[in-house]
């Protein structure tokens, strides 16, 4: 089996609930996605997707993805998409760094390999550990009253896990989180996610003032050193997200005891191949794991679901259903969500059925 053609599409995916807000005025109105279709000489097509959350969240940015995919794709023509390690080496050889650009291409090869084997992707990723994964919902940054009201609505809707955005003015965020915690039933799981928005001084202020609240602290500062300085005084679990960009960084986090859990984002790591590798090593080292991404619709959510459900249940934190965030559809047979839990679609590969007519015309195409 050989790769015959590669097509790339640009799809804007507006948010259902309006702007997604983080601290320091950072916000986005939509995911800006690149969707890739890789077709083999046997007629099968695999799909991949990546979507940065604006330009402010990570080094990945939408125009970079759209410019980078055409630089890499021609070099994949003629290669066997089932040779995932070889595909990765080709991409790393012809294009140094920028893992987010390679993510959709790698994902499409995994989808194609699983479709060729006529098995769901979860089977190739280690096997399904459970039928569904627990979902969390985000309480975006805003006023005290708005955040408390949103938390109430989420819990009333049947969800039991909240990610509360912090990372702004420390004293205001103390008030915000205190109000959110008071507005939801005892036992609601709360993660306080600063998205690396604080200095260690600010993070320690927040942690000290909120000792009475039961929550997990997520990525308070930027560097591993900074987060480690906070962890030394912390009496709560810590999860790192933005600090995990490679296997080497994950191993450093483990060596230093800098976190209890990790959030692995597919596009940040460069695709399904590297996410699976880091996930498997991290599980063996004892970390709790969340697998998600920076954004996307049905294609990317399906990949997240397959990776989540092939993670041992006792090591899995939670998942997120990005396809429910956006107003546009790109596929049918989407990842099923029942209440506060998400499964994987029936069928080989990612299981979804992408509808090319919903994507518009490709902005790039190469093949033979």
């Amino acid at each position: 089996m050989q790769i015959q053609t590669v097509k790339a599409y640009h799809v804007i995916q507006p948010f259902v609930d309006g702007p997604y807000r983080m601290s320091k005025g950072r916000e986005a109105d939509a995911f800006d996605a690149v969707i890739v279709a890789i077709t083999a000489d046997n007629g099968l097509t695999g799909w991949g997707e990546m979507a940065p959350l604006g330009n402010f969240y990570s080094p990945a940015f939408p125009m970079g993805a759209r410019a980078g995919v055409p630089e890499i794709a021609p070099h994949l023509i003629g290669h066997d998409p089932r040779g995932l390690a070889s595909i990765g080496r080709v991409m790393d050889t012809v294009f140094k760094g920028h893992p987010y650009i390679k993510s959709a291409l790698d994902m499409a090869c995994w989808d194609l390999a699983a479709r060729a084997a006529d098995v769901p992707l979860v089977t190739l990723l280690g096997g399904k550990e459970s039928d569904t994964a627990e979902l969390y919902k985000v309480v975006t940054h805003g006023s005290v009253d708005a955040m408390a009201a949103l938390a109430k609505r989420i819990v009333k809707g049947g969800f039991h896990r909240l990610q509360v955005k912090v990372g702004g003015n420390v004293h205001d965020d103390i008030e915000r989180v205190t109000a959110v915690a008071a507005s939801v039933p005892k036992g609601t799981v709360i993660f306080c996610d600063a998205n690396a928005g604080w200095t260690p001084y600010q993070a320690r202020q927040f942690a000290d003032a909120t000792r009475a609240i039961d929550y997990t602290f997520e990525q308070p500062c930027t560097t591993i050193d900074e987060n480690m300085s906070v962890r030394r005084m912390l009496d709560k679990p810590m999860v790192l997200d933005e600090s995990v960009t490679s296997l080497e960084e994950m191993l450093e986090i483990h060596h230093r005891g800098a976190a209890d859990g990790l959030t692995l984002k597919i596009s940040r790591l460069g695709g399904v191949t590297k996410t699976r590798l880091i996930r498997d090593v991290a599980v063996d080292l004892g970390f709790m794991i969340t697998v998600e991404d920076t954004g996307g619709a049905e294609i990317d959510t399906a990949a997240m679901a397959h990776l989540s459900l092939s993670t041992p249940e006792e090591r899995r934190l939670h998942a997120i259903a990005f396809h429910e965030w956006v107003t546009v559809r790109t596929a049918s047979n989407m990842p099923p969500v029942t209440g506060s839990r998400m499964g994987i679609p029936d069928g080989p590969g990612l299981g979804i059925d992408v509808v090319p007519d919903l994507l518009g015309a490709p902005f790039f195409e190469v093949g033979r």
Side-chain angles (χ1 to χ4, degrees):
M1 187 164 74
Q2 295 182 338
I3 294 174
Q4 192 168 56
T5 64
V6 180
K7 297 179 182 179
Y9 303 82
H10 176 215
V11 181
I12 300 294
Q13 301 165 346
F15 296 142
V16 171
D17 296 324
Y20 179 87
R21 294 186 175 91
M22 296 163 58
S23 62
K24 301 180 179 177
R26 296 174 291 177
E27 66 175 54
D29 297 316
F31 291 134
D32 192 336
V34 168
I35 292 175
V36 169
I38 295 181
T39 301
D41 53 4
N42 60 2
L44 291 175
T45 297
W47 294 89
E49 178 179 27
M50 72 81 56
L53 182 61
N55 293 327
F56 55 81
Y57 177 64
S58 71
F61 69 108
M63 289 181 66
R66 296 198 296 275
V69 166
E71 295 290 325
I72 298 172
H75 299 277
L76 302 183
I77 302 299
H79 286 271
D80 189 334
R82 298 168 296 182
L84 283 311
S86 176
I87 291 288
R89 286 194 295 271
V90 169
M91 291 196 290
D92 288 343
T93 297
V94 303
F95 204 100
K96 189 74 170 177
H98 302 279
Y100 70 97
I101 295 173
K102 304 164 188 175
S103 181
L105 293 163
D106 175 82
M107 187 184 297
C109 286
W110 274 94
D111 184 30
L112 188 48
R115 290 178 189 272
D118 197 28
V119 296
L121 178 58
V122 71
T123 301
L124 299 188
L125 295 174
K128 189 165 65 172
E129 296 279 344
S130 64
D131 290 331
T132 58
E134 187 76 17
L135 295 169
Y136 74 89
K137 285 211 168 184
V138 179
V139 179
T140 57
H141 213 246
S143 70
V144 173
D145 290 344
M147 291 179 71
L150 176 55
K152 280 184 179 179
R153 290 198 300 274
I154 291 171
V155 172
K156 187 176 180 180
F159 287 79
H160 315 289
R161 305 181 73 88
L162 305 176
Q163 185 192 74
V164 182
K165 291 300 182 184
V166 293
N169 179 280
V170 174
H171 298 292
D172 291 343
D173 278 341
I174 291 167
E175 189 178 354
R176 291 179 176 107
V177 171
T178 300
V180 167
S183 70
V184 298
K186 187 176 181 179
T188 302
V189 176
I190 296 175
F191 279 59
C192 290
D193 184 11
N195 291 114
W198 279 330
T199 65
Y201 180 89
Q202 293 169 316
R204 284 193 286 271
Q205 280 185 304
F206 178 85
D208 187 60
T210 55
R211 287 183 186 276
I213 301 172
D214 183 13
Y215 66 86
T216 295
F217 214 176
E218 185 165 356
Q219 193 76 38
C221 308
T222 302
T223 69
I224 295 173
D225 278 340
E226 290 171 335
N227 287 300
M228 189 66 205
S229 74
V230 176
R231 182 163 168 80
R232 291 190 187 101
M233 57 77 63
L234 194 65
D235 61 354
K236 301 181 185 302
M238 181 179 284
V239 168
L240 292 182
D241 176 347
E242 286 86 348
S243 289
V244 190
T245 63
S246 66
L247 176 63
E248 291 76 15
E249 284 194 328
M250 185 276 289
L251 292 173
E252 182 183 354
I253 290 166
H254 168 69
H255 177 71
R256 300 183 63 179
D260 305 288
L262 306 171
T263 298
L264 307 180
K265 288 190 163 66
I266 300 171
S267 62
R268 178 184 292 141
L269 298 174
V272 173
T273 301
K274 292 180 180 177
T275 302
R276 183 204 179 182
L277 170 63
I278 294 170
R279 188 268 318 262
D280 288 349
V281 176
V283 164
D284 285 346
L285 292 175
F287 285 108
M288 298 296 293
I289 300 295
T290 299
V291 179
E292 55 182 57
D293 211 342
T294 53
E298 290 88 356
I299 300 167
D300 198 53
T301 303
M304 297 185 319
H306 283 273
L307 280 159
S308 292
L309 292 177
S310 56
T311 302
E313 194 166 13
E314 67 273 15
R315 292 294 178 189
R316 186 193 311 145
L317 282 170
H318 42 216
I320 194 163
F322 276 148
H323 64 300
E324 295 196 329
W325 286 35
V326 298
T327 62
V328 299
R329 298 272 67 88
T330 60
S332 60
N333 199 30
M334 63 190 69
V337 174
T338 303
S340 64
R341 300 190 69 88
M342 178 170 67
I344 56 176
D346 292 329
L350 290 171
I352 55 169
D353 299 311
V354 177
V355 182
D357 288 347
L358 297 176
L359 307 181
F363 70 85
F364 170 79
E365 182 174 353
V366 67
R368 64 185 186 188

